[in-house]
Amino acid sequence: MSTIIKKIKKSPILFFTYAKLFFIYKKARFRQGVVRLFHKKVIFIDSASFVAMYVDIFINEAYKFQADGSQPLILDCGANIGLSIIYFKKLYPGAIIEAFEPDSKVFNVLDINCKTFGFKNVTLINKGIWVHNDGINFLPDGADGGRIVPDSPQQSLEKIKTVRLRELLEKDREIDLLKIDIEGAEVKVLSDCREKLSHVKLLFVEYHSSAGHEQRLDELLTILTEAGFRYYINSIGGVAKNYFLHHDEQAGFDLQLNIYARRG
């Protein structure tokens, strides 16, 4: 919080931005709203999720990268309402983006937001990233935390279409940035395509460990190392205090990390 306050004091524009974000944050959750972004109307589906994504993407610039050319190829796995796409196209207007979002309701908003901006070379796919193309059970949460749940008996599940990431990486092309934010499915997906990661220049993955289940961070880092990446890790939501006494969970996850991987 102190870092944010220091930033605000240095920038009246940033102060105005945070004032607007605070106003949005105070709105009731899981209700659709509209905000102006780059002079365009952008639809959001959950106030708290929008604020978190906006700060991460546009203020902290978590996805900023240096491409070799003006038309980098980006695979956006877990595009949600499209804030990442808006950022990528502002960074590289000529970027070629393939974006995947499995939640049909979220996808509809994603589609509207991208059409509002009139983006070219952006392909939106209403499918989940997985280890096969046969479809899978999916648990939506009305915000940004819907997830694949292959073994869950819950009645509120939906059946979604899926696409195997390995097959996308087997195409004869170089991927400038592979972004993976798929709410707990990342280790299984990356394990399935570990031999094909040589086609990827930069990789961002949001790691999740589910409370009560085996943690697989070591396996994920081994995959990255064997694929020739160096990595950097930071935590999402700050540093856990008194971890031995308090095991905090968010949406069923007891650990969430941003992992950035680049070639040596």
Side-chain angles (χ1 to χ4, degrees):
M1 181 61 71
S2 60
T3 302
I4 292 176
I5 293 174
K6 289 179 181 178
K7 288 182 179 180
I8 291 174
K9 288 181 177 179
K10 291 181 179 179
S11 171
I13 295 176
L14 202 55
F15 174 81
F16 181 65
T17 297
Y18 274 105
K20 290 194 295 183
L21 290 177
F22 182 75
F23 176 76
I24 294 171
Y25 183 80
K26 297 298 289 184
K27 291 180 176 292
R29 294 204 63 183
F30 307 111
R31 292 185 182 179
Q32 194 172 107
V34 178
V35 63
R36 293 195 69 85
L37 183 59
F38 300 109
H39 309 293
K40 302 286 187 180
K41 289 184 178 181
V42 170
I43 301 173
F44 62 87
I45 57 176
D46 175 61
S47 55
S49 297
F50 173 83
V51 170
M53 288 188 291
Y54 183 93
V55 171
D56 200 34
I57 295 171
F58 294 105
I59 295 179
N60 296 334
E61 294 193 277
Y63 301 145
K64 189 172 185 178
F65 72 101
Q66 180 68 52
D68 294 330
S70 61
Q71 293 184 303
L73 175 58
I74 301 170
L75 298 190
D76 190 341
C77 304
N80 201 256
I81 62 171
L83 297 189
S84 54
I85 296 174
I86 295 170
Y87 177 81
F88 290 138
K89 293 298 278 188
K90 288 295 179 182
L91 188 64
Y92 292 105
I96 301 168
I97 303 174
E98 296 177 12
F100 302 85
E101 173 54 49
D103 190 314
S104 57
K105 292 181 180 179
V106 177
F107 182 84
N108 289 338
V109 174
L110 167 67
D111 186 45
I112 292 171
N113 286 340
C114 287
K115 286 179 178 176
T116 296
F117 280 84
F119 291 140
K120 296 180 179 179
N121 296 322
V122 174
T123 303
L124 305 179
I125 301 99
N126 187 197
K127 294 182 180 181
I129 292 293
W130 192 230
V131 299
H132 57 64
N133 301 313
D134 302 329
I136 198 73
N137 289 330
F138 181 80
L139 180 64
D141 78 338
D144 62 345
R147 70 193 71 170
I148 286 174
V149 281
D151 302 318
S152 175
Q154 296 186 52
Q155 299 299 314
S156 57
L157 299 180
E158 298 179 2
K159 186 68 176 288
I160 61 167
K161 295 180 179 179
T162 55
V163 60
R164 190 181 184 189
L165 179 60
R166 181 186 179 97
E167 294 181 4
L168 298 176
L169 300 182
E170 286 176 340
K171 297 181 180 180
D172 186 21
R173 58 185 184 172
E174 293 292 315
I175 310 298
D176 290 275
L177 175 63
L178 171 59
K179 168 186 165 279
I180 300 178
D181 184 0
I182 52 178
E183 301 298 317
E186 59 277 351
V187 178
K188 191 162 186 175
V189 166
L190 285 171
S191 180
D192 179 58
C193 59
R194 60 199 308 158
E195 301 91 355
K196 303 300 177 181
L197 292 174
S198 59
H199 297 292
V200 178
K201 296 179 182 178
L202 298 171
L203 171 62
F204 170 88
V205 56
E206 187 171 305
Y207 168 78
H208 308 73
S209 71
S210 298
H213 293 79
E214 180 182 4
Q215 292 182 308
R216 301 176 66 187
L217 178 60
D218 57 333
E219 183 179 346
L220 174 55
L221 297 181
T222 297
I223 292 170
L224 297 181
T225 300
E226 292 178 349
F229 288 106
R230 292 187 64 84
Y231 51 80
Y232 170 80
I233 303 173
N234 64 15
S235 63
I236 302 173
V239 179
K241 295 181 180 180
N242 306 120
Y243 179 76
F244 292 138
L245 301 177
H246 306 289
H247 308 290
D248 294 334
E249 296 179 20
Q250 291 186 347
F253 297 122
D254 59 2
L255 178 62
Q256 298 183 64
L257 303 171
N258 284 340
I259 302 176
Y260 304 82
R262 59 176 176 81
R263 297 289 165 191

